[in-house]
Amino acid sequence: MTKDDFAVQIMDMKKTLYHVACGILRSEADREDAVQECILKAWEKRESLKSDAAFRSWVTRILINECYDICRRSSKIIVLDELPDAVAPDEIGNRDLRDAIARLEDIYRLPIILFYVEGFSIREISQMLLIPEGTVKSRLHAGRGKLRMLLGEEVPV
Amino acid sequence: MNDLWKDAFGEEVPASFEARMRQILASLEEEPKIRRFRFRPATLIAAVLVVALLAGTALATDFFGLKSLIVTDPYAVAEATAAPPPSDLIALQGFPQSAEFRANAEWMDYLAAYGAAVDTEARVEPRYAFYSVSSDDAGQALDEITARYGLKLHTSLADFDSEDDLYSLLGTRPFISNCAAISGYVYEDGSFQGDGTSVAGRCYEYQFGRYVKGSFSEVTLHVGNPNDYEEWMYTTSGGVAVQLSLGPSRCVLMADLPESFVAVNLLGGTLGDSLFMPDPVTRSDLETFAELFDFSAIG
């Protein structure tokens, strides 16, 4: 893959990368640091990617790792294949879907963003988050339930 | 997919975020960055021959399947609306009779009962910074468990971004062959966690964990159905017995060493459906993978 091809594919993913970074990190500065490291590592390891079709999932997984690293440096690490804990809920009462997603616990928020917003499959999310497909499904189900509670209305599926 | 979801996140990417992306992309160099490629076919062939000679000799450790390492999945318990599904979560700190394994199993039980998925941002003592402690009660429970098993909590960590950094932090000689890249973090006692890539005939992507005996770690791994794994003991050319577990979508290597327990999660399996290792992993591949590590140097 040439540098130009790589750059084009990465820039095509800018919204996905930003949404995923928002799903884990609260600070804009941290999000920028994470995407920087993600791009460098993806470029460095590009020879290990055999299928161009997997590029989007592969880069997203690298970004998730970088976001976890930033969380770990600033607070705590929990498990190898789980998401870090705790984002403080903002003031309850805002009925906007995005704000409600932002208030979800991490273990529900990222699968919701990856599936509903970014359109990744259950299988892709399972591989990105290193959790079983059944766990992805249960987190989507539970996450929707929590959104209903936060929004007080039906959540789109 | 309902557009409402996309609309909720449909705002433009901040200019500073996009600018950072463009800046980094512009700075990339065309030369491949794969570093320290040290694959030596002759060495590997020799190693395989030695292994063949060693086949059938007595194993240095007993065999434990992944099934014996299953612990309660606190998140599954917290999420379940009815009875939670059987846990597929394994602890990675030692074989079942070890203090480190039993302590982590008890801690997972506690988190499940306490409600691990309940999100809080309670202030807790800094000494619990590396653990899932979100209240004074949880801290007390963790102290009781670690005291019962005579284990210490981690107190600090340092990041590494290269093989050389890792060896420097650990104070060891090199122990990974054909390492293309590795990054992660090392705790104060030499326990570490790293994401690595090695190239030996094929590309191996893995998560390497070293857990020093006497310290408490809560790292766990989802393995899916443990009955789907083919498992066996294998003695490396260096004479170290490792447990190999060949699964559909991932593989696990474990070694009980004098000072630590090593658990490596290989991000590919027999189905060849992995994002990172799209070609099927065979029994032979996994044994070749085990030969990439000099366990005597890890200790």
Side-chain angles (χ1 to χ4, degrees), chain A residues 19 36 50 116 123 127, chain B residues 1 9 16 20 222 273 279:
Chain A
H19 293 161
Q36 170 176 315
K50 288 189 176 176
Y116 290 111
R123 187 173 195 79
Q127 295 197 350
Chain B
M1 181 170 43
F9 278 78
S16 61
R20 179 77 80 95
H222 284 290
D273 64 348
D279 295 329

Side-chain angles (χ1 to χ4, degrees), chain A residues 10-148:
Chain A
I10 289 287
M11 289 312 294
D12 283 348
M13 290 182 65
K14 67 181 179 185
K15 281 189 179 179
T16 296
L17 297 176
Y18 184 65
H19 293 161
V20 169
C22 288
I24 303 173
L25 300 169
R26 302 184 72 194
S27 145
E28 282 294 341
D30 284 346
R31 293 167 188 166
E32 291 173 18
D33 289 345
V35 80
Q36 170 176 315
E37 289 305 309
C38 163
I39 292 171
L40 290 173
K41 286 200 174 161
W43 176 248
E44 185 176 78
K45 299 176 86 169
R46 65 194 184 281
E47 303 300 338
S48 70
L49 180 68
K50 288 189 176 176
S51 164
D52 287 347
F55 184 82
R56 190 164 165 260
S57 303
W58 180 74
V59 172
T60 303
R61 171 64 204 172
I62 293 172
L63 176 64
I64 291 169
N65 268 346
E66 293 305 320
C67 292
Y68 290 170
D69 272 355
I70 288 173
C71 289
R72 171 176 48 73
R73 286 187 209 115
S74 62
S75 57
K76 62 175 70 173
I77 183 73
I78 299 178
V79 293
L80 184 63
D81 52 356
E82 295 286 352
L83 299 170
D85 252 334
V87 168
D90 297 319
E91 191 180 25
I92 301 296
N94 189 326
R95 294 171 65 83
D96 179 77
L97 179 58
R98 188 183 63 181
D99 288 348
I101 291 174
R103 286 199 292 269
L104 287 175
E105 294 96 329
D106 286 344
I107 62 167
Y108 304 119
R109 186 170 58 248
L110 197 51
I112 289 269
I113 291 173
L114 292 171
F115 186 77
Y116 290 111
V117 180
E118 298 304 329
F120 286 109
S121 69
I122 299 282
R123 187 173 195 79
E124 287 173 316
I125 297 169
S126 163
Q127 295 197 350
M128 278 187 244
L129 302 184
L130 301 178
I131 57 178
E133 290 182 33
T135 303
V136 176
K137 291 175 187 171
S138 70
R139 289 184 183 179
L140 289 173
H141 177 79
R144 283 199 304 269
K146 287 172 179 285
L147 284 175
R148 285 193 189 96

Side-chain angles (χ1 to χ4, degrees), chain B residues 99-226:
Chain B
E100 290 81 7
F101 171 85
R102 288 155 66 197
N104 195 10
E106 279 193 30
W107 178 236
M108 291 297 124
D109 285 341
Y110 174 82
L111 290 178
Y114 185 77
V118 175
D119 202 358
T120 68
E121 205 171 58
R123 302 282 178 210
V124 295
E125 291 182 47
R127 67 197 186 92
Y128 301 123
F130 302 117
Y131 301 95
S132 304
V133 171
S134 55
S135 71
D136 292 341
D137 287 348
Q140 188 177 344
L142 181 59
D143 285 340
E144 288 172 5
I145 290 171
T146 51
R148 193 177 313 129
Y149 290 100
L151 303 177
K152 294 180 293 188
L153 297 181
H154 291 307
T155 56
S156 65
L157 59 72
D159 294 311
F160 63 89
D161 200 30
S162 71
E163 203 184 347
D164 291 342
D165 288 349
L166 171 62
Y167 301 144
S168 172
L169 285 166
L170 293 174
T172 62
R173 66 179 189 268
F175 56 80
I176 306 175
S177 296
N178 310 328
C179 183
I182 189 164
S183 61
Y185 50 95
V186 178
Y187 286 108
E188 76 295 330
D189 65 346
S191 296
F192 75 89
Q193 196 78 49
D195 290 320
T197 305
S198 285
V199 185
R202 60 172 298 164
C203 188
Y204 293 92
E205 297 279 353
Y206 52 90
Q207 297 174 303
F208 196 108
R210 178 192 190 231
Y211 309 98
V212 171
K213 294 176 179 177
S215 292
F216 178 75
S217 160
E218 61 175 16
V219 177
T220 54
L221 175 70
H222 284 290
V223 293
N225 186 345

